[in-house]
Amino acid sequence: MEVYAYGGAREVGRNCFLVHEKGKYIILDCGVKLGEQTEYPQIPDNMRQHIHDVVVTHAHLDHSGYLPHIFRDGLRPHVHGTKPTRDLITVLLADYARIGGGRKGSGDAFTQKDVDMSIRNFRLHEFNQEFHTGHGFRARLLNAGHILGSAMVMVEGDKRLLYTGDISVRGTKLLDGCERNIHCDALIMESTYGDEELPSVKESMKKLVHEIKETLKEGGHVLIPSFAVGRGQEILLLLEAYMKSGALPETKIYVEGMIGTGMKITRQNIIYANQEIQRRILMSEDDPFKSKYFRTSRRKDKHDVFEEPSIIVSTSGMLTGGPAIGYVEKMAHNPKNKIIFMGYQAEGTPGRKILEGEKEVEFHGEKIKLRMKVAEVRISGHSGKSELIQFAKGIKGLKKVVLIHGEEEGLNSLKESLERSYEVIIPSLGDKINI
Ligand SMILES: [Zn+2]
Ligand SMILES: [Zn+2]
């Protein structure tokens, strides 16, 4: 068995791996790397004929965004994934087509038609149910705990290979942690936080409540930039729970961008959430998804949002686009306001720059002075260093570990820790790895 790294090698973004064994081929994820310029997986022309089956682990664009490009190029693979993944990428890819993926006139434009085609070729699979790809691999999806419906992929040929996609070992407000009962020969593992420990949920929550309370008391507004899918829903459910329990004062929470749509899809696919939240919805009248605190702004100038202290949860999570930018522009001048980052901020993004202390940011060529407060509270959908190590060590029969989806420090630090027990490889873009 061999694996080709076409994206997500020594970087976070555009995950794409081709697994090959004796005439059988399967692609694991096909994402894009968003930034000033979108970067795509580097699949060589002579390998594109082998794109028959693509597994999409979850809806985030760094794992799914290249799909419509494949269909635009006339290829017609089967796309494998869970139902929430299909439902979520239906809206995320449509949005991506509108804002950037369809950059008119540029060589990489695709259209809604390519998105529709991607969705039509979707094959739905439940967790732990074996399926056969058109070209002979046996595969299974396992719960990854990262966002709703997110999966790890077990590929079985002569060797057993587990690909994690993005994983969260610990459970959250909404989701159970990833599957831990695993037996395989080789592991391809994400390394986003390979050199960092994540704070405990309790610590993070204490800090979140403190930061929000402080700003509301001063009469300011809180902006929480978030991914459309995943953290966005977790944050809303957390805020709702804290207001209900009295830990936070009752405040209007404005939901912006695709986060609301993500909420609806989550509610429709609630059997993929944890037992507790299912019970709350099914056994009582108390449906946190329909909370009275959630609002949408009725005005283009957002005047209503700023009438009294409020909380805004808006895309995009790293301030690379979306309505969050408009809010930063409106809020930046006032030191009573606060921006709270809760998710991963990739290198080079405005979010990362602000977190690292820059007092001036540029959006659409216009410089903005930042006087608002900046805070960080981690509630990550990923795993910290020791959680990743424990996860690998819990796998029976494991011999080889391939580290991906990380920055240099994270990859090296994990390698150092795992090297004593396993053969560890950090592939570069284009590398072929023997499993
Ligand atoms: Zn993800
Ligand atoms: Zn990812």
Side-chain angles (χ1 to χ4, degrees):
M1 190 183 267
E2 51 202 25
V3 175
Y4 295 85
Y6 293 144
R10 294 179 190 267
E11 63 185 341
V12 176
R14 60 165 164 180
N15 258 35
C16 185
F17 299 88
L18 175 69
V19 184
H20 168 235
E21 184 188 271
K22 296 181 200 144
K24 295 179 271 191
Y25 295 89
I26 186 169
I27 295 225
L28 305 176
D29 277 339
C30 58
V32 294
K33 188 174 180 179
L34 298 175
E36 267 156 47
Q37 209 142 34
T38 308
E39 293 178 85
Y40 304 105
Q42 302 289 302
I43 307 174
D45 287 344
N46 63 333
M47 297 305 268
R48 296 180 83 85
Q49 55 178 311
H50 301 305
I51 304 180
H52 311 295
D53 290 280
V54 181
V55 186
V56 176
T57 58
H58 65 285
H60 286 154
L61 290 180
D62 61 320
H63 299 256
S64 70
Y66 194 61
L67 257 191
H69 294 268
I70 291 177
F71 283 88
R72 178 209 57 188
D73 291 348
L75 299 165
R76 295 290 177 267
H78 287 166
V79 183
H80 304 274
T82 64
K83 181 175 176 295
T85 298
R86 185 202 59 187
D87 293 354
L88 290 166
I89 68 169
T90 304
V91 295
L92 285 181
L93 291 179
D95 187 54
Y96 176 43
R98 261 197 315 274
I99 58 159
R103 268 180 310 189
K104 307 278 181 281
S106 75
D108 44 59
F110 66 84
T111 65
Q112 180 60 35
K113 240 174 64 195
D114 305 313
V115 175
D116 294 342
M117 192 68 87
S118 312
I119 304 302
R120 222 173 298 143
N121 282 275
F122 225 93
R123 301 284 183 276
L124 298 180
H125 304 288
E126 295 294 340
F127 288 135
N128 304 312
Q129 251 173 27
E130 192 174 278
F131 60 92
H132 290 255
T133 62
H135 281 68
F137 271 124
R138 277 182 299 148
R140 239 172 337 125
L141 304 180
L142 305 170
N143 174 34
H146 169 63
I147 63 170
L148 196 78
S150 64
M152 304 188 277
V153 191
M154 180 76 83
V155 181
E156 294 191 37
D158 285 348
K159 293 273 173 61
R160 269 202 265 202
L161 169 69
L162 182 77
Y163 168 74
T164 62
D166 293 347
I167 48 169
S168 174
V169 171
R170 53 171 91 156
T172 64
K173 188 106 196 120
L174 190 61
L175 301 174
D176 289 324
C178 69
E179 173 71 48
R180 300 293 289 272
N181 182 16
I182 294 163
H183 197 269
C184 66
D185 303 293
L187 169 70
I188 303 179
M189 183 166 75
E190 70 123 314
S191 316
T192 319
Y193 290 110
D195 62 338
E196 262 180 84
E197 299 300 347
L198 298 175
S200 77
V201 179
K202 218 169 144 188
E203 258 171 77
S204 298
M205 292 310 103
K206 227 172 110 182
K207 185 162 183 220
L208 178 67
V209 168
H210 168 78
E211 293 287 355
I212 293 177
K213 259 184 162 168
E214 186 184 72
T215 298
L216 295 178
K217 213 162 85 220
E218 278 186 37
H221 303 271
V222 176
L223 172 63
I224 303 178
S226 169
F227 267 141
V229 162
R231 285 332 85 187
Q233 288 73 44
E234 297 274 359
I235 292 160
L236 287 176
L237 294 175
L238 280 168
L239 295 175
E240 191 267 348
Y242 284 132
M243 286 184 193
K244 205 169 224 170
S245 72
L248 278 178
E250 297 197 327
T251 312
K252 289 177 185 157
I253 305 167
Y254 286 90
V255 182
E256 285 281 1
M258 304 280 288
I259 295 169
T261 315
M263 248 353 217
K264 277 188 202 124
I265 295 175
T266 304
R267 179 68 180 76
Q268 285 157 7
N269 288 281
I270 204 68
I271 52 165
Y272 288 86
N274 65 26
Q275 291 273 320
E276 195 195 318
I277 205 128
Q278 286 187 46
R279 228 187 338 254
R280 222 180 121 183
I281 289 172
L282 299 173
M283 313 284 272
S284 74
E285 296 290 293
D286 170 28
D287 187 338
F289 287 84
K290 294 179 183 148
S291 169
K292 62 177 178 182
Y293 307 121
F294 301 151
R295 302 293 164 98
T296 37
S297 171
R298 304 251 164 253
R299 294 178 53 145
K300 213 168 165 219
D301 64 2
K302 308 293 178 197
H303 191 76
D304 47 350
V305 177
F306 296 104
E307 275 167 354
E308 53 187 278
S310 61
I311 301 171
I312 304 127
V313 181
S314 174
T315 55
S316 77
M318 306 185 207
L319 301 180
T320 49
I325 292 177
Y327 278 105
V328 174
E329 288 168 345
K330 284 195 168 56
M331 293 166 66
H333 67 282
N334 187 347
K336 283 184 184 167
N337 293 335
K338 187 181 282 170
I339 183 165
I340 304 181
F341 291 101
M342 300 191 73
Y344 176 75
Q345 304 296 316
E347 267 174 302
T349 59
R352 178 78 154 249
K353 288 178 189 159
I354 294 175
L355 254 187
E356 284 173 348
E358 284 190 24
K359 291 288 171 231
E360 200 173 67
V361 276
E362 197 178 308
F363 296 114
H364 318 297
E366 212 177 297
K367 288 201 171 101
I368 295 174
K369 278 212 170 16
L370 283 177
R371 293 205 178 80
M372 72 198 292
K373 295 188 187 73
V374 178
E376 185 183 26
V377 179
R378 286 273 173 81
I379 55 157
S380 180
H382 294 271
S383 310
K385 178 179 179 178
S386 53
E387 290 173 323
L388 288 170
I389 293 169
Q390 271 171 29
F391 173 77
K393 295 210 159 161
I395 295 177
K396 293 171 208 87
L398 185 63
K399 291 172 216 55
K400 199 172 267 195
V401 181
V402 181
L403 297 174
I404 58 152
H405 198 288
E407 292 171 10
E408 216 58 42
E409 303 79 37
L411 294 164
N412 290 335
S413 151
L414 265 185
K415 180 170 193 247
E416 221 167 90
S417 309
L418 289 168
E419 216 152 41
R420 266 158 274 152
S421 318
Y422 312 101
E423 184 192 342
V424 182
I425 299 162
I426 302 176
S428 297
L429 210 59
D431 279 1
K432 180 172 95 176
I433 309 135
N434 288 311
I435 295 297

